[in-house]
Amino acid sequence: MLEEWINAFVGFIWGKPMLILLVGGGIFFTLYGKFTPFRYMGHSLKLLTGQVDDGSGHGDLSHRKALAAALSGTLGLGNIAGVALALSAGGPGAVFWMWLTALLGVSTKFYTCTLGVMYRHKDSEGRVHGGPMYTVRNGLGNKFKWLAVLFAIAGLMGFVPSFQINQLGAVVQTQLFPGVEWLESTAFSWGLGIVLAIFVGLVIWGGLKRVADVAGALVPLMAGSYMVMAIVALLLNAERVPAVFQSIFASAFSPDAMFGGLISVIIVGVSRGAFSNEAGIGTEVMAHSAAKTNEPVREGLVASLGPIIDTLIVCSCTALVILVTGVLDQADGMQGVSLTMAAFKAAFGAPGAWLLAAQVLVLSFTTVFTFWYYGYKCFVYLFGETAGQYYKYLYLSLVVLGAVVSLDVVFLFLIGAYGLMAVPTMVSGLLLAPKVNQAAKAYFSSQAYKGAAQVQSRAPHH
């Protein structure tokens, strides 16, 4: 009964109106901004590497650490398990719509994250708070306050760590040690949840800076090693790659009837794409709002790199490996990380499964750390700074519960909550888009940008 209700809820949230809001909004941002983040991508990379930014201004994190924190919330099971779930539900055609969502997400992230820094809130102790709820409250005023509250409530639902923890349990129980009965017991699941909660607690008690430090060290390493594995797997199956690309484009526009028609495939691709790179959802706005800068446009440009790294590169690796190894056709009920694990096992044998398990472990942990920060920000917005100290205990209890709950229900619930978060994020972004254009025009004609451009032009050419 619960699963039926959640299915209906997700179907309602991720219907055609949401498709129009995210895809249509992304098209609007891209055209209205005249492809700004694409035209200044070189400058974005310079900002990311610290070559043209002195790190002055309000905030807690450098551009690089802010992006690492944001990516740690997206570069994880959304890329490894979420893509597999999208392929199971929508076939190869869903990948095309994930790519389109990512391209449009470049502009969406530029607008929403620029606004996140522009309208962030500074509390009495000088700490910076940002996110779509503050964009709505400070940018649109009291008459839109209900949208800010909607985002915070949806965020509390969407940032539960249960999906990541659940998939970690699945890796241990069904992939690394299949057939070991006691590992499949409820007692083991509870024990695993408690152990994981202790590890998570050690990091989140250090606050955002510790989360960003851990993410900054681990995310590039794990994402890099994952991509190397994926590229080798594709090279080993190089003769099948052209046919896979053909199937992606063919089924994107004329999907097999078994996948439920064109609109269903588009919705699966867009919703899973949004779950993967979070463009338009608003989660990453909270991480980027903590950037140490007085130039909102700079952080918007850095944020715009996220969907390229996350979906166009990492998600594509996952999808292509699953498709070239042929495991999707023999899935036999496998889904999520189990399907991706089967693909790497088909490519490399047992060592492939163990290597992927190590990456899943690390990337899902970094996601869990970042989700704590996002949930904390939503909790503090709703209940105040004083009550925020209790959120850590609530969050750790959700980590424990995540080890014993059903995957289907949890994943659908998260997808539904993400859809709810998109409404305040996109509505505020669309209404305040002229403010971003004004800020971009001022920035690109300012000494701050011109000085950076001169630094770039004086850089030695090899």
Side-chain angles (χ1 to χ4, degrees):
M1 181 67 186
L2 175 65
E3 197 164 334
E4 285 177 19
W5 184 87
I6 292 178
N7 260 310
F9 165 67
V10 172
F12 171 73
I13 295 295
W14 284 101
K16 291 177 188 176
M18 181 59 67
L19 201 67
I20 293 166
L21 183 64
L22 280 176
V23 176
I27 293 169
F28 170 80
F29 288 136
T30 302
L31 297 178
Y32 186 62
K34 298 177 182 174
F35 297 87
T36 294
F38 295 96
R39 288 189 291 124
Y40 292 98
M41 200 162 285
H43 185 59
S44 305
L45 291 168
K46 296 282 184 182
L47 288 167
L48 182 63
T49 53
Q51 294 178 52
V52 295
D53 192 275
D54 60 3
S56 62
H58 300 300
D60 300 313
L61 305 177
S62 67
H63 291 302
R64 186 182 66 80
K65 285 190 176 178
L67 182 62
L71 284 175
S72 73
T74 59
L75 271 180
L77 285 166
N79 307 82
I80 295 171
V83 175
L85 286 165
L87 286 168
S88 301
V95 178
F96 174 85
W97 298 105
M98 289 180 75
W99 288 340
L100 180 65
T101 307
L103 283 171
L104 297 175
V106 171
S107 294
T108 301
K109 280 209 178 183
F110 171 67
Y111 273 85
T112 55
C113 293
T114 298
L115 288 168
V117 177
M118 199 181 290
Y119 290 108
R120 59 189 177 181
H121 168 71
K122 199 173 180 183
D123 66 20
S124 56
E125 295 181 23
R127 286 173 298 204
V128 169
H129 302 273
M133 55 280 203
Y134 294 101
T135 300
V136 169
R137 190 184 75 180
N138 300 334
L140 297 177
N142 280 334
K143 63 180 178 179
F144 287 95
K145 190 178 178 182
W146 65 275
L147 275 176
V149 173
L150 173 64
F151 180 87
I153 292 171
L156 280 182
M157 295 192 297
F159 300 134
V160 296
S162 304
F163 175 65
Q164 284 75 21
I165 299 299
N166 184 289
Q167 291 286 272
L168 273 175
V171 169
V172 174
Q173 292 168 322
T174 63
Q175 297 301 316
L176 296 184
F177 302 102
V180 181
E181 284 187 23
W182 69 271
L183 288 177
E184 296 175 16
S185 67
T186 305
F188 172 77
S189 296
W190 280 103
L192 179 67
I194 291 167
V195 170
L196 294 175
I198 291 168
F199 279 111
V200 172
L202 290 172
V203 173
I204 68 174
W205 244 265
L208 174 62
K209 285 186 177 179
R210 186 178 295 172
V211 169
D213 286 344
V214 172
L218 294 178
V219 168
L221 178 66
M222 288 299 105
S225 60
Y226 180 71
M227 284 168 58
V228 168
M229 275 181 67
I231 290 165
V232 172
L234 293 176
L235 290 173
L236 291 173
N237 295 274
E239 71 284 355
R240 296 179 191 167
V241 173
V244 162
F245 274 100
Q246 189 178 357
S247 72
I248 288 171
F249 289 107
S251 59
F253 297 99
S254 55
D256 195 292
M258 67 177 284
F259 291 126
L262 180 60
I263 293 297
S264 295
V265 173
I266 295 172
I267 288 173
V268 166
V270 171
S271 65
R272 296 329 186 249
F275 186 68
S276 163
N277 63 56
E278 299 178 8
I281 305 300
T283 52
E284 74 295 336
V285 179
M286 289 184 276
H288 287 290
S289 296
K292 196 169 188 178
T293 182
N294 290 328
E295 295 284 356
V297 171
R298 283 186 165 178
E299 193 55 31
L301 288 170
V302 172
S304 71
L305 297 171
I308 296 169
I309 298 167
D310 182 280
T311 306
L312 289 182
I313 297 175
V314 182
C315 282
S316 296
C317 287
T318 302
L320 293 172
V321 171
I322 290 171
L323 292 170
V324 299
T325 54
V327 295
L328 184 63
D329 300 324
Q330 306 137 19
D332 194 27
M334 278 190 298
Q335 58 175 318
V337 76
S338 301
L339 185 59
T340 311
M341 192 78 74
F344 279 93
K345 196 180 276 186
F348 300 109
W354 280 92
L355 283 168
L356 183 62
Q359 290 155 346
V360 166
L361 181 70
V362 174
L363 289 172
S364 54
F365 259 131
T366 57
T367 303
V368 170
F369 301 150
T370 305
F371 273 22
W372 159 75
Y373 176 70
Y374 293 162
Y376 171 76
K377 286 294 181 185
C378 293
F379 193 86
V380 165
Y381 182 83
L382 291 170
F383 304 110
E385 192 72 38
T386 308
Q389 60 185 310
Y390 301 109
Y391 182 72
K392 288 182 177 125
Y393 302 101
L394 170 64
Y395 190 78
L396 293 178
S397 68
L398 291 171
V399 169
V400 176
L401 284 174
V404 293
V405 292
S406 156
L407 167 64
D408 288 343
V409 172
V410 170
F411 189 69
L412 285 170
F413 185 75
L414 291 178
I415 288 286
Y418 266 51
L420 281 177
M421 285 188 276
V423 176
T425 303
M426 291 299 289
V427 168
S428 60
L430 291 166
L431 291 174
L432 294 167
K435 299 284 188 185
V436 177
N437 277 16
Q438 289 169 17
K441 187 178 179 181
Y443 174 69
F444 291 121
S445 60
S446 70
Q447 278 305 120
Y449 172 70
K450 288 175 181 175
Q454 286 169 6
V455 169
Q456 292 179 54
S457 65
R458 286 199 301 267
H461 296 282
H462 298 287

